[in-house]
Amino acid sequence: MDDLAGFLRTRRSRVDPAAAGIPTDRRRRVAGLRREEVAHLSGVSVDYYVRLEQCRATQPSEQVLDALAEVLGLDGTEREHLCRLARQHRRGAKAPGKGAQPAGGRARVRPEVLRVLDLVVGAPALIMDHRLDVLAGNRLAGLLYGRAVPGLNTARHIFLEEAERGLYADWEQCTLDVVGHLRLAAGQHPDDPRLASLIGELAMRSERFRRLWARADVRARTHGRKAFRHPLVGLLELHQENFALPGESGMELLVLSAAPGSPAEDGLRLLDGLGAGRGADTGGERASPRRTDPAAMPFSTSTGTSPM
């Protein structure tokens, strides 16, 4: 799903030669750095770097990787991704490691983790795996998404369910985050057939996903702004925090909180009240609630609610 050579090519194409101290003129037609320029700046031979990009050199040292990361201007997440891809080349195809999730079926969440999830009140909370499959959610999460969330894949929801796009106030930014996360996950779980299938499905069905995937961006979003445009309560400016679960390969607890005294806090309180007594069950299998259930009302980009 990902390889060292392809990552190197995409990264060097983005480096500004002038910023790297390389004189340029209008006759230059190469985007970014040439191979020989990367080799010179990182202190390796041109032949060796060419072999890296042709998948013929599979054992770059840590020193070489550090030098390449510096020349290519990689951030911490990208540097770790580069080293991970290099390690995969060194040892070849690897068997799933200890604690890896099974290839088939949905991963199981420990009962103790579900109890923690139930303790989160006043904020939507989800348990999600590295494929962006929602494994469990509290009541407010179901009300936010308008459905029982176990079984929801947020990548499909964002890219493929066009009628649902209005839920995301920053849809374009969400697509960048999703692709960056999946690219990172592909490097962390190279032998996961379900992840490969998901990426293939998104690439076949979404032109925007194909364009973004070709950029080979990697992202590890652990916290930040997450805004929703809910059809019943309007703009919800929330803050997302991701907590990696110990002993669970790729599983995270996501909490979407509102600042105290903010309109978003009022909106979540209103949403909770609208769903009270409606039987919105988010912890079990996806239900088929009545259309009168506020938690089951479909989202629409044409809703007349206040903008986010």
Side-chain angles (χ1 to χ4, degrees):
M1 286 182 292
D2 205 348
D3 63 85
L4 178 63
F7 188 67
L8 289 172
R9 286 193 294 268
T10 58
R11 297 279 80 75
R12 72 176 171 85
S13 69
R14 300 185 186 186
V15 179
D16 180 6
I22 297 175
T24 60
D25 55 41
R26 65 180 62 186
R27 291 176 296 177
R28 185 183 180 96
R29 297 181 179 179
V30 177
L33 297 177
R34 297 185 176 96
R35 288 173 172 175
E36 58 268 26
E37 292 167 343
V38 175
H40 173 72
L41 292 170
S42 58
V44 301
S45 71
V46 175
D47 176 68
Y48 182 76
Y49 183 77
V50 169
R51 285 189 287 123
L52 276 177
E53 284 204 5
Q54 292 178 344
C55 298
R56 294 189 291 117
T58 59
Q59 297 187 10
S61 67
E62 295 298 326
Q63 292 81 1
V64 167
L65 294 174
D66 286 342
L68 291 174
E70 187 70 25
V71 170
L72 299 176
L74 305 187
D75 62 22
T77 299
E78 291 172 323
R79 186 182 293 253
E80 291 179 8
H81 186 66
L82 174 68
C83 293
R84 187 179 301 112
L85 295 177
R87 288 195 297 271
Q88 291 169 15
H89 276 264
R90 291 191 191 109
R91 62 177 180 261
K94 68 172 186 176
K98 181 180 179 181
Q101 295 181 13
R106 196 172 69 188
R108 298 185 64 85
V109 183
R110 291 184 288 111
E112 295 83 0
V113 175
L114 292 176
R115 288 203 296 270
V116 172
L117 191 66
D118 289 338
L119 294 175
V120 181
V121 295
L126 308 160
I127 303 294
M128 191 175 293
D129 68 11
H130 65 278
R131 307 180 193 100
L132 300 181
D133 286 329
V134 179
L135 308 177
N138 66 1
R139 183 172 173 278
L140 259 179
L143 293 171
L144 177 63
Y145 282 92
R147 62 179 70 186
V149 290
L152 174 71
N153 179 274
T154 58
R156 291 190 182 96
H157 194 251
I158 287 171
F159 275 100
L160 304 183
E161 298 188 37
E162 294 188 12
E164 303 286 317
R165 288 183 184 176
L167 177 63
Y168 302 96
D170 300 318
W171 181 79
E172 291 188 356
Q173 181 61 48
C174 286
T175 63
L176 293 172
D177 291 340
V178 165
V179 172
H181 170 88
L182 291 179
R183 175 68 74 171
L184 186 63
Q188 295 169 332
H189 305 272
D191 304 304
D192 185 341
R194 290 183 58 209
L195 178 60
S197 177
L198 170 65
I199 292 169
E201 177 189 358
L202 294 170
M204 287 188 295
R205 298 179 59 188
S206 170
E207 192 271 338
R208 178 168 176 80
F209 182 88
R210 289 193 298 273
R211 291 203 320 269
L212 295 180
W213 186 258
R215 294 168 47 173
D217 290 336
V218 291
R219 298 187 181 212
R221 186 173 186 185
T222 56
H223 59 87
R225 175 182 178 273
K226 192 79 170 183
F228 295 86
R229 188 189 308 274
H230 198 279
L232 298 180
V233 299
L235 176 63
L236 294 171
E237 293 268 7
L238 305 177
H239 179 84
Q240 178 176 307
E241 286 285 344
N242 293 30
F243 303 92
L245 298 181
E248 304 291 353
S249 177
M251 286 192 194
E252 292 182 320
L253 167 64
L254 278 68
V255 179
L256 297 160
S257 64
S262 67
E265 184 182 50
D266 294 337
L268 287 178
R269 190 177 296 114
L270 175 59
L271 184 61
D272 190 29
L274 290 172
R278 300 287 185 167
D281 180 11
T282 63
E285 296 299 321
R286 180 172 178 174
S288 298
R290 296 187 301 272
R291 298 282 291 185
T292 54
D293 185 348
M297 293 180 66
F299 298 126
S300 171
T301 55
S302 61
T303 179
T305 57
S306 58
M308 296 205 54

